[in-house]
Amino acid sequence: MKKLALILLSLSFLTGCTNINNLNLEEVVNNNLSSKQKLSNQYRSGYKYYLPRGLSVVNQSDYNEKLNNDRYTYHLYVDVISYFNKVEADYEPKDDVYYSKTLNSNGLKGYIEIKETVEKDNKYLVEIMYNYAKIEVIVKQRDLNSTIANSLTILNSIQYNDNIIDNMMKDNKLQYKETEMNIFNTKETTSNYINYEEMYGQYDDSNDIHDSDLIE
């Protein structure tokens, strides 16, 4: 317990002075992918992960979760079946979107894609697939850095329990109704997997994001 407290204190000291808004998207992505710290504070059947400060779990169904902070809703999908079968991500960076990048770090692969919403009202659909899981969220342009940092912190921290997943596969307990989305495919900005009205309702311009200028 003392060791965990010291690690958290060290992380806070090292990153607390870093203003994430002074970084470009490439730096935000690389900084978060390079982290090898594997902390956990959320525990599920077959996996666990770290939920950054300021975010909370508001809904969980099978391997889909809805996470909230004081402005936005993050949709997290964990694909334990693809993890079990070791499905490889196949993504080609695009030139016609705001930001597009293949992710490959520490033996884990994925992609990040950011595109402007169809309303073109300074809101962007962020899709990040990494480590056999995916996060989708719509945010204001000014909050892209903090959102990407939060998302990659979650995805990079996921640790799968092979024994539990193996047993669940043998017992056919993973034959649940699969969600209609494929984490390896990107979505249009009219995606049915995110309720835009709900997302916009989460946004309150008068409030500040909790610790939004810090890498957590």
Side-chain angles (χ1 to χ4, degrees):
M1 194 68 182
K2 290 182 178 179
K3 184 177 180 181
L4 177 60
L6 287 173
I7 292 174
L8 290 171
L9 183 62
S10 298
L11 287 173
S12 176
F13 176 78
L14 291 173
T15 63
C17 296
T18 304
N19 190 322
I20 197 170
N21 292 321
N22 291 336
L23 305 178
N24 59 42
L25 289 179
E26 196 75 11
E27 291 171 328
V28 174
V29 171
N30 292 337
N31 286 351
N32 281 272
L33 288 183
S34 64
S35 174
K36 295 183 179 180
Q37 295 291 348
K38 291 295 183 180
L39 303 177
S40 303
N41 56 16
Q42 302 294 315
Y43 302 89
R44 307 290 184 260
S45 180
Y47 67 97
K48 59 184 179 180
Y49 68 92
Y50 177 75
L51 187 67
R53 183 176 49 182
L55 282 168
S56 60
V57 179
V58 296
N59 184 269
Q60 179 190 0
S61 176
D62 292 324
Y63 294 91
N64 302 331
E65 299 188 34
K66 184 185 293 185
L67 316 173
N68 276 11
N69 64 10
D70 56 359
R71 282 190 180 177
Y72 305 115
T73 298
Y74 297 62
H75 293 264
L76 169 65
Y77 313 89
V78 179
D79 192 345
V80 294
I81 293 180
S82 290
Y83 170 80
F84 178 82
N85 293 313
K86 296 299 183 287
V87 177
E88 291 288 335
D90 184 17
Y91 177 80
E92 290 293 333
K94 303 176 183 178
D95 296 325
D96 59 345
V97 296
Y98 182 81
Y99 183 80
S100 175
K101 178 181 176 66
T102 299
L103 305 179
N104 190 346
S105 179
N106 299 320
L108 303 176
K109 297 181 179 180
Y111 66 83
I112 176 172
E113 185 170 298
I114 304 172
K115 61 185 74 171
E116 192 171 7
T117 60
V118 291
E119 289 81 2
K120 297 189 182 300
D121 51 359
N122 197 36
K123 292 187 178 74
Y124 291 80
L125 170 61
V126 177
E127 296 180 65
I128 305 179
M129 196 289 292
Y130 186 68
N131 192 16
Y132 298 100
K134 185 175 186 178
I135 286 179
E136 294 183 356
V137 54
I138 293 177
V139 299
K140 283 280 192 177
Q141 183 178 30
R142 69 187 185 190
D143 297 321
L144 282 173
N145 283 12
S146 59
T147 300
I148 292 169
N150 281 335
S151 299
L152 285 175
T153 294
I154 294 170
L155 297 176
N156 193 34
S157 72
I158 295 176
Q159 299 177 69
Y160 296 93
N161 188 312
D162 291 337
N163 291 331
I164 292 178
I165 294 175
D166 287 348
N167 289 333
M168 294 175 72
M169 291 294 291
K170 291 176 183 177
D171 295 339
N172 293 321
K173 291 181 180 179
L174 285 180
Q175 302 306 314
Y176 58 88
K177 181 182 178 182
E178 294 187 48
T179 180
E180 296 177 358
M181 57 96 63
N182 183 336
I183 67 167
F184 299 97
N185 294 335
T186 59
K187 303 295 181 297
E188 299 299 327
T189 51
T190 55
S191 169
N192 290 328
Y193 306 110
I194 296 183
N195 186 323
Y196 283 9
E197 291 182 359
E198 173 188 300
M199 299 288 286
Y200 294 163
Q202 292 290 329
Y203 180 76
D204 183 352
D205 195 60
S206 64
N207 296 325
D208 293 328
I209 292 181
H210 181 67
D211 285 343
S212 65
D213 61 334
L214 302 179
I215 296 177
E216 301 185 15

